[in-house]
Amino acid sequence: NNFGILDNLKANHSKLKTTRGYATRFIYKLTALFHSETTIQQFQKLQNFTFRNHDTTKQYISILEEEQLDIMFFTHQRPPYIAPLVYAAQKKHIKTAAFIFSWDNLASKGRMASNFNYYLVWSDLMKRDLLKFYKSIKENTIKVVGTPQFVPYVMDVYKMQASEFFKDFDLNPKLKTICFSCGDISTSKNDELYIEIIANAIDAGDIEPINFIVRTSPAEDPVRFKKLVEEYAFITWNFPKWKQVRPNHQEAWSQRIPSVDDVKQLRALLEYSDLNINMLSTMSLDFMMFDKPVINPVFGNEDNGLYNDQRFLNYEHIQHLVNSKASKVVKNETALIKAISQCLSGKVDFKNRKAFINQQVGIPLKETNKQLVNSLVSWL
């Protein structure tokens, strides 16, 4: 009965006439009938059984015997390729701890790749979600530590001065700055439309003279914006400086690593932009960390022919955002342009923004690293 999980399940249904496609459809039918927590744990045992004599597992066990670890910390709980390593750790009686990677991972993504001994979460809200979706997890195995994802925003080493920011991005320091942050094409197919609408409004004078920066998603090649880059010369494009370390990896998106320069540029965008616009991405939280107004455009629905991004409003983690009124959700062009003008003039009150951040990120950023490390040490 969770819209996000059901939507993700539907999106991953396979029609391929391949071994993988047939296997996926069989698993869908099987789990439609057998999905209790007890049954899921039986599936987990069957999964582990397939790892038992695999060469990869043997290599992992050999490494673990050599290293003599006390605890293994997984910074992401969901990639399937970690499952054999978790199994190997369990066979060697090494404790395992997993960090819940993002604000949407529990309420809209697939299950964890395996069972762990301990869990690190962002907030009390995420702790409640974890206990709700994973009935076999015990409350005393969970620690609330905040998230390291935002910690660079309070570290001086990543700070850029305002003068450096305007010079680096070649912006007019006398104008206000809008930053549009893109999602990847799998979930933000309407980003080109939103960028074009804002650019045309700037061109027509419907929005005051402004610096307009577009930051593309670091999870993909920005080739889909080529036409916009050529058509609107006044848009400043920020293509994240991330390195693809293993392009042939089965989940290549997870193998893109940010450079120090990119973290500095991102922090500067958050600190010195006057307004952020994004389609319900985590970047809403990033900008709110710097007390900046956020607009979330969602024009698409089941009837108007656009990619249906309004359905994300039914996702549980997004409903917390909508209900908090910490951002401005807009559903058409007129509402978007009006919201931009209101935000730039300071006429929109986002008084619930701080409460929403506290709900989502339960520990102050300056305490996060210490809380995380202390939690791991306490489980040794």
Side-chain angles (χ1 to χ4, degrees):
N1 299 318
N2 181 284
F3 182 89
I5 291 174
L6 290 174
D7 189 59
N8 193 50
L9 186 71
K10 181 180 177 182
N12 283 285
H13 193 281
S14 175
K15 295 181 180 179
L16 295 175
K17 294 182 179 180
T18 62
T19 302
R20 184 184 180 90
Y22 290 126
T24 300
R25 288 191 290 279
F26 170 74
I27 290 169
Y28 268 50
K29 289 180 180 179
L30 181 67
T31 54
L33 298 173
F34 304 102
H35 49 254
S36 69
E37 187 65 27
T38 300
T39 306
I40 288 170
Q41 292 308 316
Q42 291 303 314
F43 290 147
Q44 178 69 50
K45 289 179 181 178
L46 287 172
Q47 172 179 278
N48 286 345
F49 182 79
T50 69
F51 300 149
R52 193 177 50 165
N53 295 314
H54 198 282
D55 287 343
T56 299
T57 307
K58 293 176 181 177
Q59 291 173 29
Y60 282 148
I61 289 176
S62 176
I63 293 170
L64 295 178
E65 287 176 343
E66 182 178 342
E67 296 297 336
Q68 292 292 301
L69 306 177
D70 295 300
I71 190 167
M72 183 172 288
F73 174 40
F74 292 83
T75 58
H76 197 320
Q77 85 289 353
R78 202 165 46 82
Y81 54 83
I82 68 172
L85 181 55
V86 180
Y87 170 73
Q90 291 168 348
K91 294 300 289 182
K92 300 309 297 179
H93 304 289
I94 296 170
K95 297 173 183 177
T96 57
F99 180 78
I100 306 303
F101 186 72
S102 187
W103 72 326
D104 65 339
N105 269 204
L106 293 177
S108 68
K109 303 293 186 184
R111 282 184 65 94
M112 297 186 200
S114 189
N115 295 330
F116 302 88
N117 296 110
Y118 304 106
Y119 302 87
L120 299 165
V121 297
W122 291 29
S123 62
D124 288 329
L125 173 65
M126 190 176 283
K127 179 179 178 178
R128 290 197 297 271
D129 283 347
L130 185 60
L131 292 169
K132 178 172 69 175
F133 293 127
Y134 294 83
K135 300 296 185 183
S136 62
I137 294 177
K138 306 299 182 185
E139 186 174 359
N140 62 1
T141 64
I142 306 171
K143 295 274 191 180
V144 176
V145 297
T147 174
Q149 180 171 329
F150 304 127
V151 170
Y153 305 157
V154 294
M155 297 174 67
D156 289 340
V157 68
Y158 296 110
K159 184 175 177 59
M160 185 185 293
Q161 298 302 317
S163 57
E164 187 181 356
F165 165 73
F166 287 108
K167 182 180 179 182
D168 201 26
F169 285 92
D170 194 23
L171 303 175
N172 185 343
K174 296 180 180 179
L175 299 179
K176 291 182 179 179
T177 301
I178 295 175
C179 175
F180 185 98
S181 48
C182 304
D184 64 69
I185 196 167
S186 65
T187 55
S188 287
K189 298 181 191 294
N190 295 333
D191 278 352
E192 296 98 314
L193 171 64
Y194 303 143
I195 294 167
E196 190 169 19
I197 287 172
I198 297 167
N200 287 336
I202 294 171
D203 240 353
D206 296 330
I207 296 174
E208 65 181 80
I210 200 91
N211 296 316
F212 185 28
I213 299 178
V214 176
R215 178 176 169 87
T216 59
S217 169
E220 68 177 8
D221 189 306
V223 65
R224 67 177 169 130
F225 301 106
K226 185 174 183 293
K227 181 182 175 183
L228 294 176
V229 172
E230 295 171 350
E231 189 170 347
Y232 299 100
F234 60 86
I235 297 178
T236 299
W237 292 87
N238 177 222
F239 303 119
K241 299 174 182 177
W242 288 44
K243 182 181 179 181
Q244 184 76 57
V245 291
R246 286 190 282 183
N248 297 320
H249 194 275
Q250 59 184 313
E251 293 195 13
W253 64 269
S254 70
Q255 304 301 305
R256 297 173 77 95
I257 308 299
S259 64
V260 171
D261 282 346
D262 186 70
V263 178
K264 288 181 178 179
Q265 285 193 329
L266 173 58
R267 173 175 169 159
L269 278 173
L270 303 175
E271 188 168 4
Y272 301 119
S273 294
D274 297 280
L275 169 65
N276 172 248
I277 304 170
N278 74 81
M279 196 292 294
L280 299 171
S281 81
T282 316
M283 287 292 285
S284 296
L285 294 173
D286 293 70
F287 278 90
M288 288 180 195
M289 290 288 177
F290 287 84
D291 205 28
K292 298 301 171 72
V294 175
I295 299 173
N296 301 124
V298 279
F299 292 6
N301 56 47
E302 293 180 346
D303 303 315
N304 63 8
L306 295 174
Y307 172 72
N308 184 10
D309 49 14
Q310 287 182 16
R311 78 182 196 279
F312 294 123
L313 297 174
N314 297 312
Y315 278 48
E316 193 167 311
H317 68 290
I318 297 298
Q319 287 184 335
H320 290 301
L321 173 65
V322 174
N323 293 338
S324 73
K325 294 182 169 52
S327 71
K328 185 78 172 175
V329 177
V330 295
K331 297 183 178 181
N332 57 61
E333 181 175 343
T334 302
L336 174 59
I337 303 307
K338 181 180 178 181
I340 290 173
S341 297
Q342 289 178 331
C343 287
L344 291 175
S345 63
K347 293 180 180 178
V348 182
D349 184 5
F350 294 102
K351 61 184 178 182
N352 296 326
R353 186 161 50 208
K354 186 167 288 187
F356 175 69
I357 286 294
N358 290 338
Q359 177 201 55
Q360 296 294 322
V361 185
I363 299 294
L365 298 184
K366 290 186 177 181
E367 298 176 20
T368 294
N369 289 352
K370 184 177 180 180
Q371 291 270 10
L372 193 155
V373 173
N374 287 345
S375 296
L376 291 173
V377 170
S378 73
W379 292 326
L380 289 176

